[in-house]
Amino acid sequence: MKGSSISWTAVAIAVAATLALLLAGTNAWLATGVLVVWLGTIWLGRPAPEIEYRNIEDGSLSRQAMVDLIESFGLPLMIMDDQRIASANAAAREALGQHIVGQDARVALRHPEAIRLVSERSGRAVVKGLTGPRSIWQVSVVPIDDRFSLVELVNRTAEADISRAHTDFVANASHELRTPLASIIGYIETLADPDAKIDKATAARFHSTVLREAKRLQTLVEDLMSLSRIEAEKHDAPRDDVALDQLVQSIHSSMVANVGEGRLDLQWSGDPIVVRGDRQQLDQLIRNLVDNALKYGDPEKPVTLSVRCERKNAILEVRDRGEGIAADHLPYLTRRFYRTDPGRSRAAGGTGLGLAIVKHIVERHRGTLDIASKVGEGTTVTVSLALKDPEG
């Protein structure tokens, strides 16, 4: 390898600038400190050492051969020449920056644990915060010979996020299941106690509570199973033709029969609206949105269900005129079991999974979901789905 060069012009400029500071009356220690920092920066930023091409037969690899060897790998890989990054493949440059080739590892990595591994030229460790505050990387360093070493970076951030999400989900689901179970067990134990003096009216009220909690438990289990099925299918885009306008009209008719004519309005231009989708899931999506609007909207004001075409998209909107939702809650509404008012939600029979199911159905249909709300005015949920291509 040819020796790395330092720009003596830059050194001369640094010295001249320091002398100028001294002549201007700057404190000598301060001027010296500036000079030391400047020279250190020039040293760390010096050009990458040029690796000479050597005969492959002697067991060594040329610089170009090393570059070609690691470039095609999907994992971020770097070849270190002592403490300097001699080569980095595209994945490593994307993760750490396009400028890292030729840099000192202390400048490129800027993480104590990663720098320690590179300095020791061997070992493996999990490094948190290498490319961002929440990033988690497994860094492995393997020596190639006395001079070169190979660094492998494996991004574990997504795995950690999934694990955390699963842990939170299990904890939340356990809590949601335990609450109605505890209520059912408590009332049944009381009713089964031969020493308990319970009159018929109290017993009837207990039975009614047990039935209500059992139905709530059944609804929760059904929603969990539904969410699981939707998540399992989310990578398979639906291929069936669904007449969304007819589906909306059918749902409107069936729900009006239960809630009354003045409680649910339908707005539709009359144009046929066909999308590629899963009819059962789209039915569930619309019913979940309308149910939410009816539960949490103003009971004295109608909920509006509308469907229309805009350019190449079908737009489905459900609007209530209730209390509205504070802005700080909006980003979290589609999380599992998230409730802005837990007591009110449970009293209304909500499981906390309705909007999570809606979000996953929209994602499977490659659509978009938007929730807009103003306190005191109400909430509007908008779903946009691609219209069926007439030529498709």
Side-chain angles (χ1 to χ4, degrees), residues 216 219 223 295-296 339 344-352:
R216 177 184 163 195
T219 302
D223 279 354
K295 285 175 185 174
Y296 306 116
R339 297 180 174 93
R344 182 184 176 191
S345 176
R346 291 192 177 95
T351 63

Side-chain angles (χ1 to χ4, degrees), residues 21-295:
L21 288 173
L22 291 172
L23 291 174
T26 304
N27 181 279
W29 287 108
L30 178 59
T32 303
V34 170
L35 177 62
V36 170
V37 172
W38 201 332
L39 292 176
T41 303
I42 293 171
W43 172 259
L44 291 176
R46 69 192 189 280
E50 183 182 349
I51 302 172
E52 295 178 345
Y53 286 77
R54 292 176 288 183
N55 195 330
I56 300 297
E57 293 178 357
D58 67 2
S60 63
L61 289 175
S62 69
R63 182 178 189 275
Q64 188 59 44
M66 288 191 289
V67 171
D68 294 340
L69 180 65
I70 67 173
E71 185 63 27
S72 61
F73 282 86
L75 284 176
L77 296 174
M78 299 184 296
I79 291 179
M80 305 298 302
D81 182 1
D82 193 17
Q83 297 292 307
R84 188 168 294 277
I85 300 174
S87 177
N89 67 357
R93 297 194 300 273
E94 181 179 353
L96 299 172
Q98 299 296 325
H99 59 280
I100 62 172
V101 177
Q103 279 194 333
D104 188 292
R106 291 165 291 184
V107 176
L109 300 179
R110 301 189 301 276
H111 193 287
E113 185 64 17
I115 293 170
R116 180 190 65 78
L117 281 175
V118 171
S119 300
E120 295 178 356
R121 303 185 70 247
S122 179
R124 175 181 296 176
V126 174
V127 177
K128 297 181 180 179
L130 181 64
T131 57
R134 295 174 59 87
S135 67
I136 300 175
W137 292 82
Q138 179 180 292
V139 181
S140 303
V141 183
V142 179
I144 298 174
D145 55 23
D146 293 340
R147 176 177 157 189
F148 294 104
S149 56
L150 178 69
V151 179
E152 178 193 61
L153 305 174
V154 181
N155 194 345
R156 302 294 189 193
T157 308
E159 294 177 14
D161 288 343
I162 292 171
S163 177
R164 192 182 306 112
H166 284 174
T167 301
D168 292 343
F169 176 71
V170 170
N172 288 329
S174 299
H175 174 74
E176 294 292 334
L177 291 167
R178 186 166 56 245
T179 302
L181 276 175
S183 179
I184 291 170
I185 291 171
Y187 281 108
I188 292 297
E189 285 179 342
T190 302
L191 289 169
D193 186 356
D195 297 327
K197 297 179 180 180
I198 303 174
D199 56 47
K200 289 185 178 180
T202 302
R205 191 174 75 253
F206 281 11
H207 281 118
S208 175
T209 302
V210 168
L211 180 61
R212 184 180 69 249
E213 292 297 324
K215 287 182 176 180
R216 177 184 163 195
L217 192 60
Q218 181 184 35
T219 302
L220 180 58
V221 171
E222 288 174 351
D223 279 354
L224 285 170
M225 293 177 65
S226 177
L227 185 58
S228 178
R229 284 194 300 269
I230 295 166
E231 286 185 317
E233 298 171 342
K234 67 180 180 181
H235 297 297
D236 300 325
R239 298 180 180 275
D240 296 335
D241 293 345
V242 179
L244 190 62
D245 55 312
Q246 296 178 15
L247 180 61
V248 168
Q249 291 178 76
S250 174
I251 292 172
H252 174 262
S253 299
S254 67
M255 298 191 83
V256 161
N258 294 324
V259 301
E261 284 286 346
R263 192 73 177 89
L264 181 62
D265 290 340
L266 174 63
Q267 295 180 356
W268 170 50
S269 64
D271 299 324
I273 303 174
V274 180
V275 299
R276 285 287 174 89
D278 182 312
R279 183 181 178 85
Q280 183 178 357
Q281 289 184 0
L282 290 176
D283 182 287
Q284 186 177 15
L285 178 150
I286 297 168
R287 290 182 185 276
N288 278 5
L289 292 179
V290 174
D291 277 341
N292 271 358
L294 292 171
K295 285 175 185 174

